[in-house]
Structures are given as C-alpha cells and as structure tokens.
C-alpha cells in the first residue's frame, strides 16, 4: 500500500502585491505541519510540489519542521516539481467575470468600500468560479474547467506512480486541485468541487490510499495540527 498526502499551501499574502509569497504566519504554519508529521513518524519518500512560490515555500517549511525531529531524514527527501499541481488562474477567472478587476487599483478600491473585503472577494470569487465551471463559456478562458480537471487527474496519477511500493509521497499544492481530486475520488466527477474547495484550510492534509483497487480517499482537509491555536487556523 502506498500513501499520498495532499497538502494545501500555507497562508499566502492576500491583498499584497505578491499574493504568491507566504505570509509570516504561513511560514509558521508550514513548519508546524512538518513537526506534526514528524511526531506521527511520517517522513516522505518524495515531496512533489507545484511550481508556484507558495508551493515551494510551504514545502521548504515542511522540511524544516521535519528536520527539527530528524535532520538526516529530512535532508535526504527528494523534492520534485510538477506544474500539473498548480492552482487554476483564479485572477483570470475573476477578471473574465468582472473585467474592471483587470486593474488591481480598481479591484482593491472596490473591495475597500466593503466593511468585509475578504468576504466580499469570496462572494465575487464564488460567482466567478460558478461561471467558469458552468460549461457554457469555456472559450472565454485560457484554461477551461474541463482542461483543469484533466490536468489534475493526470497529476494525481503521476504522483501515485511516482510513490515507491509501501512508500509515502507528500504533494504540496492548492485548494482547487485538492478539492477536485477529492471530488473525483468520492463522486467520480467534479460535482463536489465547489463545496470542498470552499472549506479548505491552509496546510490541511488530505490522505489518499493507493492500493490494489486503485486510489481511495481516506480523509479530507485534516487540520488537527493547527486546531490547538486559533491564530494558525486560516482559509486564505
């Protein structure tokens, strides 16, 4: 039996010029996860990550946390990059839905008029992704939802094949790919993607068993390693 742990990246820098960089809290979250994995004696045979900065920094932090418990073991873990695990371009999806948001200044000013800018952005994001996943406007996007689905399914199968027999792989990616992979493993299609994606916690772990009968979802969005400190429990 082989195990895949799909890890959502730590907190990124919402509202900052470079969203893709982890926040200070995000760096802390990734190290906390690494130490929690070490406490459970989970040392991966390989770490696979997307090519985004938030994926790289989260993977680095996990390895730092693992090294706190076993420096030699953590140092020997190979890290591979697979762009198939990159998040969909949510900024582009939002801009197709609200063309004025192509201007960052206009977007930030519009959100600032709300007393709850994060909540307002989430509402816009959900409307934009509903349009993207609806199937009626696929040609409007650089990557349609069906193309995104195919990409994530291929990345999941590649990660499963990369995991050694009786071994463990940690995949560092984003909420969208994890929710989509989980939806297909549970329902055989993307029908559960939106509600699963909505509740994804930063550095949450989704466990997939790769057994004789194929891939099986064992658990989704486990964030017990941050529940002891509400400061560490974030969604964006």
């Amino acid at each position: 039996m082989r195990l895949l742990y799909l890890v959502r990246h730590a907190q990124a820098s919402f509202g900052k010029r470079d969203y893709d960089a982890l926040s200070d809290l995000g760096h802390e979250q990734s190290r906390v996860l690494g130490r929690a994995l070490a406490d459970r004696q989970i040392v991966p045979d390989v770490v696979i990550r997307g090519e985004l900065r938030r994926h790289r920094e989260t993977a680095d932090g996990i390895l730092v946390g693992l090294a706190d418990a076993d420096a030699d073991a953590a140092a020997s873990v190979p890290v591979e990059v697979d762009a198939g695990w990159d998040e969909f371009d949510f900024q582009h999806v939002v801009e197709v839905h609200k063309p004025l948001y192509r201007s960052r200044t206009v977007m930030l000013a519009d959100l600032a008029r709300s007393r709850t800018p994060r909540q307002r952005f989430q509402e816009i994001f959900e409307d934009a992704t509903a349009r993207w996943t609806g199937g009626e406007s696929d040609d409007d996007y650089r990557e349609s939802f069906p193309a995104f689905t195919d990409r994530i399914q291929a990345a999941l199968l590649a990660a499963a094949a990369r995991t050694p027999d009786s071994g463990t792989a940690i995949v560092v990616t984003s909420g969208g790919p994890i929710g989509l992979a989980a939806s297909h493993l549970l329902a055989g299609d993307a029908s559960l993607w939106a509600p699963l994606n909505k509740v994804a916690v930063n550095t949450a772990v989704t466990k997939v068993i790769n057994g004789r009968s194929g891939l099986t979802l064992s658990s989704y969005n486990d964030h017990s390693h941050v529940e002891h400190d509400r400061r560490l429990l974030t969604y964006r």
Side-chain angles (χ1 to χ4, degrees), residues 73-99:
S76 66
V77 177
V79 179
E80 301 180 0
V81 179
D82 181 356
W85 285 109
D86 286 356
E87 182 66 283
F88 68 95
D89 187 348
F90 66 84
Q91 186 65 40
H92 170 66
V93 169
V94 169
E95 289 172 0
V96 170
H97 177 62
K98 290 184 74 70

Side-chain angles (χ1 to χ4, degrees), residues 25-39:
L25 181 62
H27 285 288
E28 182 180 355
Q29 288 169 331
S30 62
R31 294 190 297 269
V32 167
L33 175 57
R35 290 192 292 270
L37 293 171
D39 288 343

